[in-house]
Every structure is written in C-alpha cells, then in structure tokens.
Amino acid sequence: MIYILTILCLGVFIFSFYRDRRSLLNALFLLSIVMMYLSIVSLVYERFPLFHQILLGILYGVVPLSIFLFAIFMIINGVIVLKKEGKRLANALPIFMGKRTCIF
C-alpha cells in the first residue's frame, strides 16, 4: 500500500512540476515523497535490518552531498550574476552564501 502511495505522489509531483515549475505545491509534493521514503525505511527496518542500514547509509550520504552541491551552484550563480549585472554587494551575496556553506 505504501509503495502505491509513493508512486502516486511521485506521479503527482512530476505532473505538477511539468505543468508549472514555479508552483509552491511542487515543494509540498516533493516533501510528501520524502516522507514516503522515510516511512518505507521504517517499514523495511522492521523486516530487514541489514537492508535498512543500506537505505539509511544512502540517505546520510545524499544529504551532505546535496548541501555541498547547493553551495557549488550558489557560487556558480553568483559568478554569473556578477558578470551580467555588475559588481555590487547585493549581486555578490550568492557567492558569499556558497562559500559560507562550503566552510560550514
């Protein structure tokens, strides 16, 4: 049953994302997919402890990687903004944010 809900939420997210990429509902649908993933992890924990450790290892590996990629993309975005809009403090904020995230 939970797999059906996960696939349904993923389908709704993909449909909503292609319909309007800027919609705030996309974040809600994506959050529901994450919650479904965590519920699947807890379901697997009860039945298969070794597979549960593998799933949590993937989760704990993806979160730091996504934070690092966010920092890299913020630096790239800052460089593009500085080239197109000129050198001002407001335009350099993405670079500062990316560097601070990398340092953290």
Side-chain angles (χ1 to χ4, degrees):
M1 180 67 177
I2 196 131
Y3 300 116
I4 295 171
L5 286 174
T6 304
I7 292 171
L8 181 68
C9 286
L10 182 64
V12 170
F13 168 71
I14 291 172
F15 174 74
S16 175
F17 183 75
Y18 282 118
R19 189 168 161 223
D20 184 16
R21 291 182 184 213
R22 299 170 292 168
S23 176
L24 192 58
L25 283 176
N26 292 340
L28 221 55
F29 293 138
L30 190 61
L31 182 64
S32 68
I33 293 171
V34 169
M35 297 309 271
M36 290 291 173
Y37 174 78
L38 291 176
S39 62
I40 290 171
V41 166
S42 69
L43 179 71
V44 168
Y45 174 69
E46 296 171 359
R47 298 188 181 171
F48 309 105
L50 180 63
F51 191 62
H52 167 71
Q53 290 175 352
I54 293 170
L55 286 178
L56 279 181
I58 291 170
L59 180 68
Y60 290 147
V62 167
V63 169
L65 180 65
S66 65
I67 292 171
F68 181 71
L69 286 176
F70 168 75
I72 296 299
F73 286 129
M74 287 295 286
I75 292 170
I76 293 170
N77 183 30
V79 170
I80 292 171
V81 167
L82 280 177
K83 282 182 182 177
K84 289 187 177 185
E85 297 185 16
K87 295 181 181 179
R88 281 191 253 149
L89 179 63
N91 295 340
L93 287 178
I95 293 175
F96 297 142
M97 178 74 174
K99 286 182 179 180
R100 290 295 297 175
T101 306
C102 282
I103 292 171
F104 178 68

